[in-house]
Amino acid sequence: MTDTLAPPNPRRFTALDVFRGLTIFLMILVNTAGPGAPAYPTLVHAKWFGFTMADAIFPSFLFAMGNAMSFASRRRIDTAPYLARLFKRGAIIFALGFLMYWFPFVARGEAGWAPIPFTLTRVPGVLQRLALCYVAAGLLVRWLGARQILIASALLLLGYWAMLVFLSPPGMAYDKFGTIGTRLDLWLFGPGHLYKKDGGFDPEGLLGTLPAIVNVLAGYLAGLAVQRGGDLSRTTRTMAVIGVALIVAGLAWSPWFPLAKKLWTGSYVLLTIGIDCVALAAIIALVEITGVRRGTRFFIILGRNPLAIYLFSELFVTAINMIDTGPDGGLYGWIGIELFQRIAPGAFGSLLCALAYTMLCWSVGWWMDRKGLILKA
């Protein structure tokens, strides 16, 4: 079967690139908080239940990936080449994520530098979840219509809820270490291959990938609606209304299925999709309908090379922290404490450090854009 959802006469929207670039900007800002002082609470992920601005960023990246998928689907490709490309890209993204966590492949110990063993390398992760969601969503949108995608999304959310409730030990459905998701990860990967900073719980575990697929599917449907809609203003208003309704639905569901990014609960999925719909509608209204272009290039530069810039942001900060500077730890720690905490002590100094590093990553994107370099999986 060919692409059943390929829209007629699609057009490229600058707003979608701006949305993706804004997501990358915030992702780097949150991931590289300056050391020496706690960051602002809204820039820190909720410890378990709850929701902060930082918790909205990863789902937005999935939503943006779905947007991009809706544009790619306008080209009709035979099934065999489509599947080959889908699985190849998924495998490359997964491998990049795995190697990113293994980097720098060596660690300093009492006896000096030694290779980091494979048995201590994390398998799940951010790019790994992106890869799995990309492949799963790509399979679904290939053979399902819009209404069927909505049904599949509901089944994924409700099915995940049921698995947590009925497959976890009694009273452990939402327990960090007792839930079926953690038990599955420990059985499948072992503690050495899981996240090291949360006591054996991995926030990007395998089971939590199921509801995350819905964020991609929602982005796909949103992108499709924008391309198919005859009246962009009406489409944007509808998207905003749907977004508000999803936010309300997510909050209404949360007493029974708590908001939790680390569990990627269904209420969290509805809330974040709602936020993304409202945000995308606002950007479209500003950029496409009102015609505001000033400042958009800043985010477009990030949106054109999201994979390259994200990888650089994670690898470079790891590399410079290998430079030992004494009690402050690595070089990034020294910069954050000795420079930014002296300029502005506390959370503001932490934010300034993160902002400076984010602008460094942006400059890499700017250089790549000037050279016409686009990194694609």
Side-chain angles (χ1 to χ4, degrees):
M1 182 180 293
T2 55
D3 293 4
T4 56
L5 293 179
N9 301 320
R11 45 176 293 211
R12 183 74 184 189
F13 282 83
T14 302
L16 299 182
D17 290 327
V18 172
F19 177 87
R20 183 163 51 188
L22 176 61
T23 301
I24 290 294
F25 180 87
L26 292 174
M27 182 177 285
I28 299 172
L29 192 72
V30 166
N31 288 350
T32 55
Y40 287 111
T42 191
L43 297 177
V44 179
H45 295 295
K47 292 185 179 299
W48 192 238
F49 295 155
F51 185 79
T52 70
M53 187 191 77
D55 294 327
I57 297 171
F58 189 13
S60 297
F61 199 84
L62 291 167
F63 188 87
M65 185 168 66
N67 283 161
M69 190 178 289
S70 73
F71 283 97
S73 70
R74 59 191 174 180
R75 291 175 296 178
R76 298 187 178 274
I77 305 173
D78 291 338
T79 298
Y82 177 86
L83 293 178
R85 185 179 66 178
L86 183 72
F87 283 105
K88 178 183 176 181
R89 287 181 174 177
I92 291 174
I93 295 172
F94 192 99
L96 287 173
F98 179 79
L99 292 173
M100 183 184 77
Y101 288 127
W102 203 350
F103 181 84
F105 311 112
V106 294
R108 189 197 300 270
E110 294 181 359
W113 293 96
I116 298 174
F118 169 80
T119 54
L120 296 180
T121 303
R122 185 184 178 195
V123 173
V126 171
L127 289 181
Q128 293 90 317
R129 176 164 285 183
L130 283 170
L132 295 175
C133 289
Y134 171 77
V135 171
L139 292 173
L140 290 173
V141 303
R142 175 71 180 187
W143 283 286
L144 300 184
R147 184 173 299 177
Q148 294 169 314
I149 288 176
L150 291 174
I151 295 172
S153 298
L155 291 175
L156 283 169
L157 296 184
L158 295 174
Y160 176 62
W161 188 19
M163 281 188 280
L164 290 183
V165 171
F166 295 110
L167 298 182
S168 301
M172 294 290 185
Y174 310 133
D175 181 83
K176 182 177 291 188
F177 303 107
T179 184
I180 183 61
T182 300
R183 290 168 174 258
L184 176 63
D185 291 334
L186 288 170
W187 173 79
L188 188 62
F189 303 115
H193 288 300
L194 299 178
Y195 189 59
K196 303 297 190 295
K197 299 180 181 179
D198 214 348
F201 170 83
D202 200 301
E204 277 78 49
L206 185 61
L207 197 62
T209 301
L210 293 177
I213 296 169
V214 179
N215 291 89
V216 183
L217 295 175
Y220 177 87
L221 292 176
L224 197 68
V226 168
Q227 294 175 72
R228 279 183 164 178
D231 186 334
L232 185 57
S233 296
R234 183 170 57 190
T235 301
T236 303
R237 288 194 299 269
T238 302
M239 185 183 299
V241 170
I242 291 174
V244 171
L246 288 171
I247 291 172
V248 172
L251 295 175
W253 196 5
S254 63
W256 295 274
F257 202 6
L259 293 170
K261 174 191 178 292
K262 292 184 177 181
L263 270 179
W264 214 279
T265 55
S267 58
Y268 169 74
V269 171
L270 295 183
L271 175 64
T272 52
I273 292 174
I275 291 172
D276 289 335
C277 286
V278 172
L280 181 58
I283 295 172
I284 291 175
L286 185 66
V287 174
E288 304 294 343
I289 298 176
T290 307
V292 175
R293 289 291 189 270
R294 185 181 298 274
T296 57
R297 177 168 163 74
F298 178 88
F299 294 109
I300 289 172
I301 284 174
L302 295 172
R304 283 177 179 167
N305 257 311
L307 180 60
I309 296 170
Y310 173 73
L311 284 171
F312 173 83
S313 72
E314 293 288 325
L315 297 177
F316 187 68
V317 74
T318 300
I320 62 176
N321 261 334
M322 293 176 66
I323 303 173
D324 188 9
T325 58
D328 294 330
L331 181 58
Y332 191 69
W334 183 89
I335 293 172
I337 295 170
E338 300 299 332
L339 178 59
F340 287 97
Q341 284 301 312
R342 292 182 183 275
I343 295 173
F348 188 57
S350 174
L351 176 61
L352 288 179
C353 182
L355 184 60
Y357 185 76
T358 303
M359 290 306 301
L360 172 65
C361 297
W362 179 89
S363 68
V364 173
W366 174 84
W367 175 81
M368 293 183 71
D369 190 68
R370 284 287 302 269
K371 297 293 184 180
L373 301 174
I374 303 292
L375 176 63
K376 295 182 179 180

